[in-house]
Amino acid sequence: MENSCLFCRIVSGEIPATVVHRTETTVAFRDIDPKAPTHVLVIPVAHHADVVALAADPSAAADVLATAAAVAEKEGLTGGFRLIFNTGRDSGQEVFHVHAHVLGGTPLGPMLAGQ
Ligand code: 5GP
Ligand code: ZN
């Protein structure tokens, strides 16, 4: 737990969030500014800054992917979904507690803006 980290504070319940799925090692909650009908963030309970750091904790990485899959099923994303890990400056990452964006519920269009 890092006191200054927004998502650690969501894990601890200090900052409220709409949690849609929780396991011992992960939390999934709705993005505050959704970009699709379903836009859920999946995070490990353990603080890792980004997906590169998460890769050094293979068990947490696997748990994040399993929770993303569970969220997609729970949300009824039968048409598919997009899983995004923004990583570092060029990606526009804003919160440095790794999170997978689960996006779906409509055709999502081109992978990148401007394509
Ligand atoms: P990033 O740009 O780091 O990949 O994504 C950060 C995401 O966190 C953004 O989509 C943003 O809307 C979301 N977000 C930022 N602050 C909060 C918050 O306090 N609560 C929730 N639920 N989402 C947040
Ligand atoms: Zn954190």
Side-chain angles (χ1 to χ4, degrees), residues 7 18 20 28-42 71 75 77 81-84 86 99-106 108:
F7 286 177
T18 305
V20 297
F29 53 95
R30 296 203 189 281
D31 195 290
I32 205 166
D33 181 19
K35 303 293 191 295
T38 290
H39 187 173
V40 171
L41 303 176
V42 179
V71 165
E75 295 283 313
L77 303 181
F81 60 95
R82 192 167 285 160
L83 197 59
I84 296 175
N86 286 324
H99 47 281
H101 296 257
V102 180
L103 294 151
T106 191
L108 294 167

Side-chain angles (χ1 to χ4, degrees), residues 88-109:
R89 189 187 57 224
D90 283 356
S91 75
Q93 184 180 0
E94 287 176 353
V95 178
F96 287 84
H97 180 134
V98 64
H99 47 281
H101 296 257
V102 180
L103 294 151
T106 191
L108 294 167

Side-chain angles (χ1 to χ4, degrees), residues 1-2 5-9 45-48 96-97:
M1 162 91 187
E2 297 203 358
C5 172
L6 176 64
F7 286 177
C8 282
R9 293 166 79 194
V45 166
H47 180 92
H48 294 293
F96 287 84
H97 180 134

